[in-house]
Amino acid sequence: MRSHPLNRRTLTTALALAAGSVLLTACGGGAAPGGGSEQVAAAGATGRKINIGPDQHRIHGTKDPETAALVPARVRETGALRIGVSADGSPPLTFHATDDKTLIGVEEDIATLVADTLGLKPRFEPLSWENLFVGLDSGKLDAVFSNVTVTEERKEKYDFATYRLDQLAMEAKKGSGWRVRGPKDVAGRTIAVDSGTNQEKILVDWSKENEKAGREPVDIKYFHKPSDTYLALQSGRLDGFFGPNPTAAYHVNTAGQTELVGTFSGGGDRVQGKIAATTKKGSGLVKAYAAALQKVIDNGRYGKVLARWGLTGEHLKTSQINPPGLPRTAN
């Protein structure tokens, strides 16, 4: 799955507009005065505080010799793990800190845990979506941590070690009293979605199902800017916004004006989508990644990282290698 293409600056603006107040962030200002970490918090200072400054105080792993031994010698001897991340990502996945240069987010945190457990130094390479896979194909990258969903088509060229559920979320105005579990709950509702995404396909399918059942279709809306979407949601012109769970959860935690009213697999009813560390098929690294991920899942560090970014709902108990992925779609 590809995430909603927001950078930190864009999302901060959107949240400020949606909340009706300026959030506690800086654009290029570095650390807060006095050396403290900058944080973004929900309006009214009652929500979760998330550190978005360059000094992240990351949760680190410790080298596990048995797991580190699974790394091929050619990689182990370099002492580093070359990790591709999104150059145009969105909070809380991958984005720039308040200094506008330091890469932060849940993807960097989990990749760091893996590298630490393998006794390697993480070296992050921010690249466009297509160049992440080019980097794997060419051997420039050892791994990609960039909200990549396992699909049957991708499994032909890449190996996967899972680390998060691929979840979508319906976001509504706080206090809506609305709960969404399936098609009938969105009948006759006005819902925004991004074009060309998994969530759009699911919403369109739900609308068709409603019509076949004699219910009202969904009034699907598209906005070019996230700020426009959130303003429409807050003003009541929208009932909901259907998007990736990570960005929705981040918005809920930081703007303080909306709530999640339903979460769903990125694969719809077909399969539970899963996000995975991605490596070139046959690179010899996937077993090391899965073993490292299992170590940090078991010792609790992984759970602390997810909680830090408000993504506990995407927790996995087991890192799987090449599990069933989203099925192929007809051309």
Side-chain angles (χ1 to χ4, degrees):
M1 188 178 82
R2 294 191 64 176
S3 61
H4 191 7
L6 305 179
N7 56 33
R8 182 190 67 81
R9 197 186 294 265
T10 301
L11 187 58
T12 296
T13 302
L15 300 188
L17 288 168
S21 61
V22 178
L23 299 177
L24 303 178
T25 62
C27 292
S37 297
E38 294 187 28
Q39 297 180 330
V40 59
T46 58
R48 177 190 304 275
K49 292 184 178 180
I50 300 175
N51 175 14
I52 60 169
D55 189 356
Q56 283 289 288
H57 305 291
R58 279 196 173 108
I59 298 165
H60 282 275
T62 56
K63 181 179 179 179
D64 180 75
E66 185 177 351
T67 304
L70 297 173
V71 177
R74 59 179 173 76
V75 177
R76 190 167 60 246
E77 290 168 2
T78 69
L81 203 60
R82 302 165 300 170
I83 301 167
V85 295
S86 176
D88 54 359
S90 56
L93 299 170
T94 288
F95 61 114
H96 285 95
T98 52
D99 62 357
D100 280 332
K101 61 182 181 181
T102 304
L103 289 170
I104 64 174
V106 68
E107 303 287 43
E108 282 74 15
D109 283 5
I110 292 178
T112 296
L113 285 178
V114 169
D116 288 347
T117 304
L118 297 177
L120 299 170
K121 182 178 180 179
R123 291 183 180 169
F124 294 109
E125 293 279 349
L127 297 166
S128 63
W129 176 259
E130 61 275 8
N131 281 325
L132 290 171
F133 297 97
V134 171
L136 290 175
D137 295 341
S138 67
K140 178 182 178 181
L141 299 176
D142 299 310
V144 166
F145 282 75
S146 191
N147 207 44
V148 180
T149 301
V150 181
T151 71
E152 289 303 309
E153 184 175 4
R154 289 173 183 161
K155 280 163 62 177
E156 291 185 357
K157 292 183 64 177
Y158 307 101
D159 285 324
F160 297 93
T162 59
Y163 63 87
R164 279 194 294 110
L165 291 176
D166 175 10
Q167 295 283 81
L168 302 174
M170 186 71 73
E171 190 175 359
K173 189 175 180 179
K174 199 169 186 178
S176 68
W178 183 32
R179 291 294 176 266
V180 180
R181 300 177 180 84
K184 67 179 181 179
D185 299 313
V186 297
R189 297 280 189 164
T190 303
I191 299 172
V193 71
D194 291 324
S195 178
T197 60
N198 288 345
Q199 56 266 28
E200 180 193 31
K201 184 181 185 307
I202 290 171
L203 194 60
V204 168
D205 288 346
W206 282 354
S207 186
K208 291 178 180 177
E209 187 174 331
N210 281 331
E211 289 188 276
K212 288 181 180 178
R215 297 186 290 261
E216 292 185 63
V218 180
D219 183 7
I220 301 175
K221 300 293 186 184
Y222 300 90
F223 292 87
H224 292 297
K225 297 179 181 179
S227 56
D228 293 340
T229 302
Y230 291 134
L231 283 173
L233 189 62
Q234 198 59 34
S235 69
R237 289 184 290 126
L238 287 176
D239 292 304
F241 172 45
F242 196 27
N245 178 69
T247 50
Y250 186 86
H251 180 241
V252 166
N253 284 326
T254 55
Q257 299 292 312
T258 57
E259 62 185 0
L260 300 186
V261 297
T263 57
F264 309 88
S265 165
D269 295 331
R270 299 168 296 175
V271 65
Q272 172 58 64
K274 291 180 180 176
I275 304 298
T278 309
T279 185
K280 187 177 181 180
K281 184 165 286 294
S283 70
L285 283 161
V286 71
K287 289 183 179 179
Y289 295 156
L293 285 162
Q294 195 61 52
K295 283 287 181 182
V296 298
I297 289 170
D298 292 342
N299 65 29
R301 291 186 174 100
Y302 160 86
K304 290 179 180 178
V305 165
L306 291 188
R308 179 180 182 223
W309 295 104
L311 297 179
T312 299
E314 297 188 354
H315 188 284
L316 289 178
K317 293 182 179 180
T318 304
S319 178
Q320 296 175 287
I321 294 175
N322 296 330
L326 271 61
R328 294 175 178 277
T329 56
N331 292 328

